[in-house]
Amino acid sequence: MKPRLRRFVRWLFVPKKARSEDKYRGEAFASGLELVVPTVVFTLLGLWADRSWGTAPLFLILGFVLGAVGTFVSQYYRYQARSEINDEGKPWTRSASSRGEGP
């Protein structure tokens, strides 16, 4: 989700007092929306395609799977990027040669 939209969602749904106390609550809510909204949208598009073309549950199931897998893959890569940023400079991320160990 774009940073502006994330800030807007946080501003809209998180009370001002909570925003100052817990900066991650709005981010968690936005991440939750990022998980739910694309899955629901792709599922509804699949339902519409099935009704339009008469292909019983094919596109409904395909839309749900694409929406769910896409959002989870997106969250996984976003988590990896955040972990790398948070772990930067920590002892467990340094290589053996930079610590003076090894050959």
Side-chain angles (χ1 to χ4, degrees):
M1 189 181 286
K2 303 224 178 212
R4 283 187 194 166
L5 184 57
R6 184 181 295 268
R7 280 194 305 264
F8 175 72
V9 167
R10 186 168 185 251
W11 173 82
L12 187 62
F13 292 105
V14 179
K16 188 173 185 176
K17 185 177 179 184
R19 275 185 262 154
S20 62
E21 293 173 5
D22 184 11
K23 69 178 185 175
Y24 296 109
R25 186 176 300 168
E27 184 176 332
F29 184 78
S31 292
L33 282 178
E34 288 174 10
L35 286 173
V36 172
V37 171
T39 304
V40 169
V41 168
F42 275 97
T43 302
L44 291 175
L45 285 173
L47 182 64
W48 172 80
D50 282 336
R51 286 188 180 174
S52 297
W53 298 324
T55 55
L58 176 68
F59 289 107
L60 175 74
I61 293 170
L62 186 64
F64 175 78
V65 169
L66 283 176
V69 168
T71 55
F72 284 113
V73 167
S74 171
Q75 289 293 317
Y76 173 77
Y77 285 114
R78 187 169 292 136
Y79 170 77
Q80 289 294 332
R82 266 185 291 189
S83 293
E84 287 178 11
I85 291 169
N86 289 335
D87 288 347
E88 197 171 286
K90 301 286 172 50
W92 55 85
T93 60
R94 296 184 199 136
S95 66
S97 60
S98 67
R99 288 182 292 198
E101 298 173 4

